[in-house]
Amino acid sequence: MSFELTCLVLSTVLALIYLSAQTFLRKAEVGIRHDVGPRDHDKGVSGILQGRAERAYRNFLETYPVFIALVVAVELSAASDPLTQWGAGLYLGFRVVYLPLYLMGVPWLRTFSWNIASFGLALMIAGVFV
Amino acid sequence: MSAELTYLIWSAALGFVYLNVQAGLYRRQAGILQANGVRDDDPEPDVLTGRGTRALRNFYETFPLFAVLVLAVELSGGQDAFTFWGVTVYFWCRVAYLPLYVLGISPARSIVWTISVLGLVALFVGALV
């Protein structure tokens, strides 16, 4: 399996970690009993950590489809090169870093890590076309 | 076509069903005219609209993972018993999840969700091994 495809498969674990951070923190606030029910009249979460986890998860979903599309394009067109490999590695690595930075409320570094991850996507786009 | 790819295509149809259930429940509450407008002043979702919306959002949460893993299996030619049972369990659990949520049946809904994720885990193991 290519490096990019391995990154893609591993990214599914990362997606589940983002999702779990959001959902377990949420359950810590609203209670499992409420969440197992149909969640009618749900008021959302008000806790600081809960809000951070939710925004981090939403942020993850914003660029994740782009990453998926690029890895699939790289694979189907057999366009793997150092650009796409570095791109996929940077994306995955800095999306890993992003979550704890957000949960701990670290400003700037979180934004920079987002920028570097997105720069990885740009590298992949370049790599697909070059 | 492999069973995994067949299930992926049917899961696209299932996603469309989730979408239309939500859209239908929303229109039942707000009306077609409101739906066709810009929806600036949408009503607070009532019980059924809320359930349809949350079920749809929940589908979106794991569907990309399912799609990714099936594509990875296809591209690497790694079909095995893990990937077959993974996609089968995931798909049918997601089929059952929608009516369970709309009808408000719990905790069966949460159990079915958990089993669907076990399907994803099996698919992941099969994709990587």
Side-chain angles (χ1 to χ4, degrees):
Chain A
M1 201 185 293
S2 73
F3 178 74
E4 292 88 338
L5 201 54
T6 307
C7 283
L8 185 60
V9 174
L10 292 177
S11 75
T12 61
V13 176
L14 183 61
L16 282 181
I17 292 174
Y18 270 81
L19 174 60
S20 300
Q22 183 267 332
T23 192
F24 284 125
L25 283 168
R26 183 194 143 83
K27 281 169 178 54
E29 179 178 324
V30 303
I32 291 186
R33 201 173 285 275
H34 171 79
D35 261 6
V36 166
R39 309 191 192 185
D40 301 332
H41 318 296
D42 197 292
K43 290 178 194 64
V45 289
S46 57
I48 298 277
L49 268 181
Q50 281 77 5
R52 287 176 184 170
E54 205 158 291
R55 291 192 298 280
Y57 178 52
R58 212 150 299 289
N59 185 284
F60 180 78
L61 293 182
E62 282 174 2
T63 55
Y64 190 44
V66 178
F67 176 66
I68 297 170
L70 286 169
V71 173
V72 171
V74 166
E75 285 298 315
L76 292 178
S77 61
S80 178
D81 61 14
L83 278 178
T84 60
Q85 287 164 16
W86 273 101
L90 281 178
Y91 177 81
L92 184 61
F94 280 90
R95 291 311 314 202
V96 169
V97 172
Y98 184 90
L99 181 59
L101 287 178
Y102 209 144
L103 290 179
M104 294 185 296
V106 182
W108 293 106
L109 280 182
R110 186 196 85 237
T111 306
F112 289 147
S113 69
W114 185 93
N115 287 335
I116 300 172
S118 300
F119 178 66
L121 293 180
L123 286 183
M124 292 180 75
I125 294 174
V128 170
F129 284 121
V130 172
Chain B
M1 200 189 301
S2 69
E4 288 83 351
L5 208 51
T6 307
Y7 270 117
L8 180 61
I9 292 171
W10 280 108
S11 70
L14 180 62
F16 200 63
V17 171
Y18 269 78
L19 185 61
N20 276 296
V21 165
Q22 190 276 337
L25 289 172
Y26 164 75
R27 279 166 178 73
R28 169 201 53 87
Q29 180 193 358
I32 305 254
L33 291 179
Q34 171 76 12
N36 289 349
V38 286
R39 308 192 189 186
D40 290 334
D41 49 353
D42 257 358
E44 278 292 305
D46 65 13
V47 166
L48 280 179
T49 306
R51 287 177 184 174
T53 303
R54 292 193 297 280
L56 175 63
R57 196 175 338 124
N58 186 283
F59 183 78
Y60 284 150
E61 283 177 358
T62 55
F63 180 60
L65 308 188
F66 175 70
V68 159
L69 291 171
V70 170
L71 286 174
V73 167
E74 285 300 311
L75 291 173
S76 64
Q79 287 92 349
D80 60 16
F82 274 105
T83 61
F84 174 78
W85 285 107
V87 292
T88 307
V89 166
Y90 176 82
F91 179 81
W92 290 109
C93 285
R94 292 311 315 201
V95 168
Y97 184 88
L98 182 57
L100 289 176
Y101 208 144
V102 173
L103 299 174
I105 298 169
S106 55
R109 187 195 88 238
S110 300
I111 295 168
V112 163
W113 183 91
T114 306
I115 299 174
S116 80
V117 171
L118 290 180
L120 281 183
V121 171
L123 186 55
F124 176 85
V125 171
L128 213 52
V129 173

